Amino acid sequence: ICKLTNLIRLDVSKNSLRTIPAAIEKLTKLVYIDFSFNKLISLPNSIAQLTNLKTLLLIDNNIDKLPSQLGNMSSLVELNLYKNNLEDLPVSMHNLKEVEIVDLDYNPLGR
């Protein structure tokens, strides 16, 4: 990851990923990430350090919990969590002032 510090777009969808390395926080220039159609069950807390990120796609995974610091992602415009296992959301999501699109369809929210 250290050699990718200038990366602005990361698409690792459809790769059967089970985890995301905590070192993702070093990719501070990222504005777009697509982790869709993998086998993720959670996100590392360090992902919240990506304050330039505008798009985070996590479609069709098994994520059951989001980092409590998610609200630190101050530039986030789109957050797509369609078809995961979320039962609740972190309170910090209220801090996402730039967000325009949030897709939470097909999650067991509120159960």
Side-chain angles (χ1 to χ4, degrees):
I1 285 187
C2 293
K3 296 184 183 213
L4 301 173
T5 54
N6 288 320
L7 196 66
I8 58 169
R9 185 178 171 94
L10 176 64
D11 185 340
V12 289
S13 59
K14 301 177 186 169
N15 279 291
S16 298
L17 296 177
R18 295 185 185 276
T19 61
I20 299 167
I24 189 112
E25 69 184 2
K26 294 183 181 196
L27 304 179
T28 57
K29 294 183 181 175
L30 280 174
V31 294
Y32 177 97
I33 296 176
D34 190 349
F35 287 123
S36 299
F37 307 102
N38 281 292
K39 298 179 180 183
L40 301 172
I41 57 170
S42 65
L43 302 176
N45 289 332
S46 60
I47 201 164
Q49 301 302 315
L50 300 177
T51 56
N52 290 317
L53 196 67
K54 293 185 180 308
T55 302
L56 179 55
L57 306 177
L58 296 156
I59 300 162
D60 201 359
N61 278 283
N62 298 309
I63 298 168
D64 59 10
K65 185 174 183 187
L66 296 173
S68 60
Q69 305 91 344
L70 190 72
N72 294 347
M73 300 176 85
S74 54
S75 298
L76 203 59
V77 173
E78 180 178 3
L79 176 60
N80 196 322
L81 288 152
Y82 175 88
K83 201 173 180 192
N84 277 280
N85 294 322
L86 293 170
E87 293 184 12
D88 57 17
L89 301 171
V91 174
S92 70
M93 280 187 66
H94 295 291
N95 297 332
L96 299 175
K97 304 295 184 203
E98 300 298 317
V99 76
E100 295 176 6
I101 300 166
V102 177
D103 190 340
L104 297 167
D105 280 349
Y106 291 94
N107 279 279
L109 290 167
R111 288 188 188 165

mmCIF file of all heavy atoms in Angstrom, residues 31-54:
data_model
loop_
_atom_site.group_PDB
_atom_site.id
_atom_site.type_symbol
_atom_site.label_atom_id
_atom_site.label_comp_id
_atom_site.label_asym_id
_atom_site.label_seq_id
_atom_site.Cartn_x
_atom_site.Cartn_y
_atom_site.Cartn_z
ATOM 1 N N VAL A 31 -10.392 9.383 -3.615
ATOM 2 C CA VAL A 31 -11.688 10.055 -3.672
ATOM 3 C C VAL A 31 -12.804 9.063 -4.003
ATOM 4 O O VAL A 31 -13.974 9.368 -3.834
ATOM 5 C CB VAL A 31 -11.708 11.230 -4.689
ATOM 6 C CG1 VAL A 31 -10.782 12.335 -4.237
ATOM 7 C CG2 VAL A 31 -11.383 10.772 -6.088
ATOM 8 N N TYR A 32 -12.418 7.857 -4.453
ATOM 9 C CA TYR A 32 -13.399 6.851 -4.875
ATOM 10 C C TYR A 32 -12.895 5.460 -4.480
ATOM 11 O O TYR A 32 -11.759 5.107 -4.780
ATOM 12 C CB TYR A 32 -13.559 6.916 -6.397
ATOM 13 C CG TYR A 32 -14.485 5.886 -6.995
ATOM 14 C CD1 TYR A 32 -15.804 6.197 -7.288
ATOM 15 C CD2 TYR A 32 -14.032 4.602 -7.298
ATOM 16 C CE1 TYR A 32 -16.652 5.254 -7.860
ATOM 17 C CE2 TYR A 32 -14.880 3.652 -7.867
ATOM 18 C CZ TYR A 32 -16.181 3.992 -8.141
ATOM 19 O OH TYR A 32 -17.026 3.071 -8.706
ATOM 20 N N ILE A 33 -13.747 4.699 -3.804
ATOM 21 C CA ILE A 33 -13.438 3.303 -3.472
ATOM 22 C C ILE A 33 -14.658 2.455 -3.778
ATOM 23 O O ILE A 33 -15.773 2.791 -3.392
ATOM 24 C CB ILE A 33 -13.100 3.112 -1.976
ATOM 25 C CG1 ILE A 33 -11.832 3.856 -1.588
ATOM 26 C CG2 ILE A 33 -12.934 1.631 -1.658
ATOM 27 C CD1 ILE A 33 -11.514 3.761 -0.102
ATOM 28 N N ASP A 34 -14.413 1.321 -4.447
ATOM 29 C CA ASP A 34 -15.471 0.351 -4.682
ATOM 30 C C ASP A 34 -15.035 -1.007 -4.136
ATOM 31 O O ASP A 34 -14.133 -1.645 -4.678
ATOM 32 C CB ASP A 34 -15.788 0.239 -6.177
ATOM 33 C CG ASP A 34 -17.036 -0.583 -6.457
ATOM 34 O OD1 ASP A 34 -17.546 -1.243 -5.525
ATOM 35 O OD2 ASP A 34 -17.495 -0.569 -7.609
ATOM 36 N N PHE A 35 -15.671 -1.411 -3.033
ATOM 37 C CA PHE A 35 -15.444 -2.712 -2.404
ATOM 38 C C PHE A 35 -16.667 -3.612 -2.613
ATOM 39 O O PHE A 35 -16.862 -4.568 -1.877
ATOM 40 C CB PHE A 35 -15.227 -2.563 -0.897
ATOM 41 C CG PHE A 35 -13.899 -1.982 -0.504
ATOM 42 C CD1 PHE A 35 -13.836 -0.837 0.271
ATOM 43 C CD2 PHE A 35 -12.710 -2.589 -0.867
ATOM 44 C CE1 PHE A 35 -12.628 -0.307 0.674
ATOM 45 C CE2 PHE A 35 -11.494 -2.063 -0.477
ATOM 46 C CZ PHE A 35 -11.451 -0.909 0.286
ATOM 47 N N SER A 36 -17.482 -3.329 -3.593
ATOM 48 C CA SER A 36 -18.730 -4.061 -3.802
ATOM 49 C C SER A 36 -18.508 -5.511 -4.205
ATOM 50 O O SER A 36 -17.487 -5.861 -4.789
ATOM 51 C CB SER A 36 -19.550 -3.375 -4.889
ATOM 52 O OG SER A 36 -19.871 -2.056 -4.505
ATOM 53 N N PHE A 37 -19.499 -6.334 -3.881
ATOM 54 C CA PHE A 37 -19.528 -7.747 -4.268
ATOM 55 C C PHE A 37 -18.306 -8.516 -3.775
ATOM 56 O O PHE A 37 -17.669 -9.254 -4.522
ATOM 57 C CB PHE A 37 -19.703 -7.895 -5.795
ATOM 58 C CG PHE A 37 -20.886 -7.145 -6.321
ATOM 59 C CD1 PHE A 37 -20.725 -5.934 -6.961
ATOM 60 C CD2 PHE A 37 -22.171 -7.638 -6.142
ATOM 61 C CE1 PHE A 37 -21.814 -5.217 -7.437
ATOM 62 C CE2 PHE A 37 -23.272 -6.936 -6.606
ATOM 63 C CZ PHE A 37 -23.091 -5.722 -7.253
ATOM 64 N N ASN A 38 -17.996 -8.325 -2.507
ATOM 65 C CA ASN A 38 -16.944 -9.074 -1.843
ATOM 66 C C ASN A 38 -17.569 -9.834 -0.685
ATOM 67 O O ASN A 38 -18.772 -10.046 -0.667
ATOM 68 C CB ASN A 38 -15.822 -8.133 -1.383
ATOM 69 C CG ASN A 38 -14.903 -7.746 -2.527
ATOM 70 O OD1 ASN A 38 -14.174 -8.581 -3.049
ATOM 71 N ND2 ASN A 38 -14.939 -6.483 -2.923
ATOM 72 N N LYS A 39 -16.773 -10.201 0.298
ATOM 73 C CA LYS A 39 -17.267 -10.946 1.457
ATOM 74 C C LYS A 39 -16.880 -10.241 2.754
ATOM 75 O O LYS A 39 -16.599 -10.885 3.755
ATOM 76 C CB LYS A 39 -16.726 -12.374 1.419
ATOM 77 C CG LYS A 39 -17.212 -13.123 0.194
ATOM 78 C CD LYS A 39 -16.676 -14.516 0.107
ATOM 79 C CE LYS A 39 -17.239 -15.168 -1.154
ATOM 80 N NZ LYS A 39 -16.843 -16.534 -1.313
ATOM 81 N N LEU A 40 -16.887 -8.928 2.709
ATOM 82 C CA LEU A 40 -16.499 -8.135 3.884
ATOM 83 C C LEU A 40 -17.554 -8.250 4.977
ATOM 84 O O LEU A 40 -18.747 -8.226 4.692
ATOM 85 C CB LEU A 40 -16.337 -6.667 3.496
ATOM 86 C CG LEU A 40 -15.307 -6.364 2.413
ATOM 87 C CD1 LEU A 40 -15.393 -4.911 2.008
ATOM 88 C CD2 LEU A 40 -13.908 -6.712 2.891
ATOM 89 N N ILE A 41 -17.102 -8.342 6.227
ATOM 90 C CA ILE A 41 -18.037 -8.322 7.350
ATOM 91 C C ILE A 41 -17.897 -7.042 8.172
ATOM 92 O O ILE A 41 -18.767 -6.713 8.952
ATOM 93 C CB ILE A 41 -17.882 -9.562 8.263
ATOM 94 C CG1 ILE A 41 -16.470 -9.686 8.787
ATOM 95 C CG2 ILE A 41 -18.314 -10.817 7.533
ATOM 96 C CD1 ILE A 41 -16.310 -10.721 9.870
ATOM 97 N N SER A 42 -16.796 -6.324 7.959
ATOM 98 C CA SER A 42 -16.596 -5.060 8.671
ATOM 99 C C SER A 42 -15.594 -4.200 7.909
ATOM 100 O O SER A 42 -14.965 -4.653 6.955
ATOM 101 C CB SER A 42 -16.096 -5.316 10.096
ATOM 102 O OG SER A 42 -14.814 -5.908 10.055
ATOM 103 N N LEU A 43 -15.462 -2.971 8.357
ATOM 104 C CA LEU A 43 -14.479 -2.035 7.813
ATOM 105 C C LEU A 43 -13.493 -1.693 8.913
ATOM 106 O O LEU A 43 -13.885 -1.585 10.076
ATOM 107 C CB LEU A 43 -15.165 -0.752 7.351
ATOM 108 C CG LEU A 43 -16.256 -0.882 6.299
ATOM 109 C CD1 LEU A 43 -16.893 0.480 6.045
ATOM 110 C CD2 LEU A 43 -15.683 -1.435 5.015
ATOM 111 N N PRO A 44 -12.229 -1.483 8.578
ATOM 112 C CA PRO A 44 -11.288 -1.071 9.618
ATOM 113 C C PRO A 44 -11.605 0.347 10.080
ATOM 114 O O PRO A 44 -12.054 1.179 9.279
ATOM 115 C CB PRO A 44 -9.926 -1.142 8.922
ATOM 116 C CG PRO A 44 -10.234 -0.928 7.474
ATOM 117 C CD PRO A 44 -11.593 -1.549 7.262
ATOM 118 N N ASN A 45 -11.384 0.635 11.353
ATOM 119 C CA ASN A 45 -11.607 1.993 11.858
ATOM 120 C C ASN A 45 -10.794 3.014 11.081
ATOM 121 O O ASN A 45 -11.203 4.153 10.915
ATOM 122 C CB ASN A 45 -11.269 2.076 13.344
ATOM 123 C CG ASN A 45 -12.279 1.340 14.192
ATOM 124 O OD1 ASN A 45 -13.444 1.217 13.812
ATOM 125 N ND2 ASN A 45 -11.850 0.836 15.324
ATOM 126 N N SER A 46 -9.648 2.594 10.588
ATOM 127 C CA SER A 46 -8.739 3.501 9.883
ATOM 128 C C SER A 46 -9.340 4.072 8.600
ATOM 129 O O SER A 46 -8.890 5.111 8.119
ATOM 130 C CB SER A 46 -7.424 2.785 9.568
ATOM 131 O OG SER A 46 -7.661 1.661 8.745
ATOM 132 N N ILE A 47 -10.365 3.444 8.053
ATOM 133 C CA ILE A 47 -10.972 3.966 6.819
ATOM 134 C C ILE A 47 -11.558 5.361 7.045
ATOM 135 O O ILE A 47 -11.635 6.169 6.133
ATOM 136 C CB ILE A 47 -12.024 2.991 6.235
ATOM 137 C CG1 ILE A 47 -12.238 3.273 4.745
ATOM 138 C CG2 ILE A 47 -13.332 3.032 7.018
ATOM 139 C CD1 ILE A 47 -12.935 2.191 3.987
ATOM 140 N N ALA A 48 -11.917 5.660 8.269
ATOM 141 C CA ALA A 48 -12.479 6.975 8.600
ATOM 142 C C ALA A 48 -11.444 8.091 8.465
ATOM 143 O O ALA A 48 -11.795 9.263 8.472
ATOM 144 C CB ALA A 48 -13.061 6.959 10.005
ATOM 145 N N GLN A 49 -10.174 7.737 8.315
ATOM 146 C CA GLN A 49 -9.113 8.736 8.127
ATOM 147 C C GLN A 49 -9.062 9.260 6.686
ATOM 148 O O GLN A 49 -8.334 10.193 6.398
ATOM 149 C CB GLN A 49 -7.750 8.131 8.493
ATOM 150 C CG GLN A 49 -7.655 7.632 9.917
ATOM 151 C CD GLN A 49 -7.933 8.722 10.926
ATOM 152 O OE1 GLN A 49 -7.422 9.835 10.806
ATOM 153 N NE2 GLN A 49 -8.755 8.423 11.913
ATOM 154 N N LEU A 50 -9.829 8.654 5.804
ATOM 155 C CA LEU A 50 -9.830 9.060 4.394
ATOM 156 C C LEU A 50 -10.774 10.248 4.198
ATOM 157 O O LEU A 50 -11.861 10.122 3.655
ATOM 158 C CB LEU A 50 -10.232 7.880 3.503
ATOM 159 C CG LEU A 50 -9.321 6.663 3.600
ATOM 160 C CD1 LEU A 50 -9.845 5.534 2.725
ATOM 161 C CD2 LEU A 50 -7.891 7.014 3.230
ATOM 162 N N THR A 51 -10.336 11.393 4.638
ATOM 163 C CA THR A 51 -11.197 12.578 4.659
ATOM 164 C C THR A 51 -11.407 13.214 3.289
ATOM 165 O O THR A 51 -12.224 14.119 3.158
ATOM 166 C CB THR A 51 -10.655 13.622 5.656
ATOM 167 O OG1 THR A 51 -9.305 13.923 5.306
ATOM 168 C CG2 THR A 51 -10.728 13.091 7.077
ATOM 169 N N ASN A 52 -10.689 12.767 2.257
ATOM 170 C CA ASN A 52 -10.918 13.273 0.895
ATOM 171 C C ASN A 52 -11.859 12.386 0.103
ATOM 172 O O ASN A 52 -12.256 12.737 -1.010
ATOM 173 C CB ASN A 52 -9.588 13.387 0.136
ATOM 174 C CG ASN A 52 -8.729 14.502 0.679
ATOM 175 O OD1 ASN A 52 -9.225 15.584 0.953
ATOM 176 N ND2 ASN A 52 -7.449 14.226 0.860
ATOM 177 N N LEU A 53 -12.237 11.254 0.675
ATOM 178 C CA LEU A 53 -13.080 10.287 -0.026
ATOM 179 C C LEU A 53 -14.471 10.863 -0.292
ATOM 180 O O LEU A 53 -15.121 11.366 0.609
ATOM 181 C CB LEU A 53 -13.187 8.998 0.796
ATOM 182 C CG LEU A 53 -13.710 7.792 0.044
ATOM 183 C CD1 LEU A 53 -12.711 7.359 -1.032
ATOM 184 C CD2 LEU A 53 -13.961 6.646 0.991
ATOM 185 N N LYS A 54 -14.904 10.771 -1.545
ATOM 186 C CA LYS A 54 -16.229 11.265 -1.925
ATOM 187 C C LYS A 54 -17.218 10.122 -2.142
ATOM 188 O O LYS A 54 -18.395 10.266 -1.877
ATOM 189 C CB LYS A 54 -16.133 12.114 -3.187
ATOM 190 C CG LYS A 54 -15.366 13.403 -2.986
ATOM 191 C CD LYS A 54 -15.399 14.253 -4.233
ATOM 192 C CE LYS A 54 -14.642 15.543 -4.085
ATOM 193 N NZ LYS A 54 -14.972 16.354 -2.949
#
